[in-house]
Amino acid sequence: MYRTPSAAVVFDDVAFLWYMRQGDQPLVSRQGHVYDHIALSVTDLDAWVAKLRGEGVTFLAEPYQLGATRAVMIEGPSREAIELVEVEDLDGPQHPAV
């Protein structure tokens, strides 16, 4: 079976690919595979954690130290793992949690 239709978003030399679901079987977790999560940076991790908890998002790990910063792992809508990494300052437009 061919995986069509498909789509991709390209940021410089990074591409995120996705395909339409091919059946009615439940999706399985990607954790433990070679490519098991993506990470996004946020400026206020506590605000994002509060917002996502309020929206019923599943947390795969509570906030934890990641070197000199903090991070948290959540489950996305297709059971993919998404890591939110706190950074002090982001270049470009800011997207507040609230």
Side-chain angles (χ1 to χ4, degrees), residues 26-31 36 60 74-82:
L27 297 173
V28 297
S29 174
R30 298 295 306 153
Q31 286 192 291
D36 70 353
L60 301 175
I74 61 172
E75 186 172 76
S78 298
R79 300 197 63 204
E80 69 278 7
I82 302 170

Side-chain angles (χ1 to χ4, degrees), residues 25-97:
Q25 295 296 317
L27 297 173
V28 297
S29 174
R30 298 295 306 153
Q31 286 192 291
H33 295 265
V34 173
Y35 172 72
D36 70 353
H37 78 280
I38 63 169
L40 304 170
S41 54
V42 299
T43 56
D44 187 346
L45 187 64
D46 293 327
W48 277 100
V49 167
K51 175 181 175 55
L52 295 170
R53 283 194 199 284
E55 293 180 2
V57 170
T58 300
F59 281 73
L60 301 175
E62 292 300 313
Y64 51 88
Q65 283 299 125
L66 182 63
T69 191
R70 299 180 311 141
V72 67
M73 191 77 72
I74 61 172
E75 186 172 76
S78 298
R79 300 197 63 204
E80 69 278 7
I82 302 170
E83 185 178 35
L84 301 179
V85 179
E86 188 172 52
V87 296
E88 289 185 21
D89 188 23
L90 293 173
D91 293 328
Q94 303 297 303
H95 301 283

